[in-house]
Amino acid sequence: PGKHERFDVMELVRDCVADFAVRPEHARADLGLSGPDRLSCHADRNAIQSILENLIDNALRYGGPQVRVDIDVAAVGSSIRLQVADDGPGIPEAQR
């Protein structure tokens, strides 16, 4: 198991979004982020970062060259909801 630590999840998400935004292959993509300025959590930072990077990468890779990807972070009770959504074509029904 990974090491749990207290950190600002919004800082992690902003850094991750910024890393993807400057990549030339995503120059025409539209990345959006909504959430509070700061949101403290106690979790495995590396695991959260890995999951987030995977979700954003998949949305950008399979959403098409001008995909819009929205990342939403919110406190829900004692949990944190991190949602990545895109307006890409989705998985064709025959491949599901």
Side-chain angles (χ1 to χ4, degrees), residues 17 33 48 62-63 70 73 79 93:
V17 169
L33 172 59
I48 300 297
Y62 301 111
D70 290 309
V73 183
S79 298
E93 181 132 356

Side-chain angles (χ1 to χ4, degrees), residues 3-66:
K3 176 185 162 205
H4 285 140
E5 60 185 289
R6 183 150 304 280
F7 64 96
D8 180 0
V9 73
M10 289 306 299
E11 180 181 346
L12 175 71
V13 174
R14 279 191 296 273
D15 289 349
C16 190
V17 169
D19 287 346
F20 277 96
V22 297
R23 296 181 186 180
E25 66 270 27
H26 303 310
R28 295 172 52 200
D30 184 8
L31 286 164
L33 172 59
S34 61
D37 289 335
R38 298 181 56 89
L39 186 56
S40 180
C41 74
H42 187 260
D44 182 337
R45 181 185 181 100
N46 292 331
I48 300 297
Q49 181 174 347
S50 178
I51 292 166
L52 179 61
E53 288 173 348
N54 186 277
L55 290 171
I56 294 172
D57 183 60
N58 284 342
L60 290 168
R61 182 177 305 192
Y62 301 111
Q66 295 180 329

Side-chain angles (χ1 to χ4, degrees), residues 65-83:
Q66 295 180 329
V67 68
R68 170 142 181 95
V69 179
D70 290 309
I71 299 100
D72 180 58
V73 183
V76 179
S78 62
S79 298
I80 293 175
R81 183 191 72 223
L82 195 148
Q83 179 176 328

